[in-house]
Amino acid sequence: MTELIATPAALADLARRLTGAPWIALDTEFMRVDTYRARLCLVQLATDDLVACIDVLAIDDLAPLFARLHDPATLKVLHAARQDLEVLHDQDGRIPAPLFDTQIAAALAGYADQVGYATLVEAECGERLPKLHTRADWAQRPLPEEMIRYAADDVVYLREVYRRLHDKLEQLGRLDWLREECAQHIDPARYRNDPELAYQRLGGGRLPLPAQTRLQALAAWRERTAIQHNRPRGWIVKD
């Protein structure tokens, strides 16, 4: 049964129950429509004993949650973690660690690079996940029951995927390879957008040098303005 956590008291109780967990399966739902930074809307967590969806829009103080996500004794299990880690980094400037990324683990176990979560769940668990809410409005409240179930599935099956991939990599002697690759993804510097480097996302390497200089200055101004007003950079000036 999935718990919906929507009060500070419920979050504090959940954090207490998560204390000492050897691993936590983790996922997020967020919106990135009219803002520079993604708006975190829901955090899904699962262990052997529980499945919970945390309504972060209903709780002002998320400190109990982040205390558990930043516990170095608890492994954080995510699939294709890059976007989730970026969104969580924007909350308090830190990255949950240590990390077990099941997409990276799957590649080391013989799957294609960047295998999708649904494909992995079907292959490892024999379950076909619905795709009903891939473009849902996660900021709406109250969340419909079917959306909560959909969000919870992202961690319900992640538990079994984690166990199976961990065992496969252990048998192959590749767990150290996974740790090395995942360690590269938990450096907070990877998730900071430096305005002075914003030009790099635009290319422009074949422009004449004076034009490259102007491009760099304009891209830096656009990035700073987008950050200041929390609006998509494309709303400031289109690429």
Side-chain angles (χ1 to χ4, degrees), residues 51-97:
V51 179
C53 291
I54 303 170
D55 183 357
V56 301
L57 298 183
I59 305 172
D60 291 331
D61 185 4
L62 297 176
L65 168 63
F66 287 111
R68 298 282 63 79
L69 295 188
H70 297 301
D71 183 349
T74 299
L75 185 69
K76 269 61 71 172
V77 181
L78 297 95
H79 182 82
R82 179 69 172 83
Q83 281 193 313
D84 297 301
L85 295 181
E86 179 184 358
V87 173
L88 292 169
H89 171 267
D90 284 347
Q91 300 298 305
D92 71 346
R94 296 182 292 169
I95 301 295

Side-chain angles (χ1 to χ4, degrees), residues 170-183:
E170 189 172 42
Q171 293 170 9
L172 292 168
R174 295 179 179 176
L175 280 175
D176 285 340
W177 297 7
L178 176 69
R179 293 187 190 100
E180 290 176 8
E181 290 208 34
C182 287

